[in-house]
Amino acid sequence: MSAVVSASMAPSPPRRRGSRAGVLPGFGLSMGFTLLYLSLLVLIPLATLPIKAAELSLADFWAVVTEPRVVASYKLTFGAALFAAVVNVVFGLIVAWCLVRYRFPGKRLVDALVDLPFALPTAVAGIALTALYANNGWLGQPLENWFGWKIAYTPVGIVIALIFISLPFVVRTVQPVLEDIERETEEAAASLGASRWQAFQRVLLPTLMPALLTGFALAFARALGEYGAVVFIAGNMPMISEITPLLIISKLEQFDYAGAAAIATVMLAFSFVLLLIINGLQFWQARRGAGRQP
């Protein structure tokens, strides 16, 4: 018995400085598996785009990516995705606020409906939106007859489809941050004489800004590459309602793989730059928030 007690009281061997026990394997094995996994699923597929586009000469590459029809699709695709992401930042924040701060009948149903675009196939969503906003649809017909607004087969229909499929990214990004914010902070601001808008602007918005930027980036990236939900409601009229993913599909159907890769490379470069800017804004916002803390 004394031997057992003395063994249990014996000092454990010293652990190397900086080493911590963990459930997963060591850093080397974990990092190697991470890099291998990302390379197979992300880096190698994306690298094939510029490699395939390199089959074109520089003049041919420039001619393909600056064709007027392609440039018009760039403007529509990026403009519609940007507008949809901005709209979702505003209304996604409102939806998340209602789900977190209020109790109302059917709250669980509304919370479940937010995730519907995640589960619904994009082609089904596109067909449903087209049937709803067509000139003989439930909403499209009265809007066109009463106000002269044509939704389906126009850029407006594309924006609506992109808003539909990217809304959950903002809501689900902002919602947990709102749940972690204590209401006492708002009550403290109100006790100091701040109005509701001042409390939101000075207290809540700095805390929510990183989550809003993240939701914006996710919604923008999701909308930028959307095809199934847009192709039906867009109408696909060249120079008017033709999106860039459709042009890429068209070139693939014509076996113009180098041309499709060239257009996809341009979209990839623009997307990477925009996401890099958004990540820089997030980093700046985080450092600014940390600097305000005592």
Side-chain angles (χ1 to χ4, degrees), residues 116-127:
L116 183 61
F118 282 149
L120 193 66
T122 56
V124 175
I127 295 173

Side-chain angles (χ1 to χ4, degrees), residues 83-102:
F83 187 81
V86 172
V87 171
N88 278 332
V89 165
V90 177
F91 290 97
L93 174 60
I94 296 175
V95 172
W97 183 276
C98 291
L99 291 176
V100 172
R101 293 302 178 91
Y102 301 111

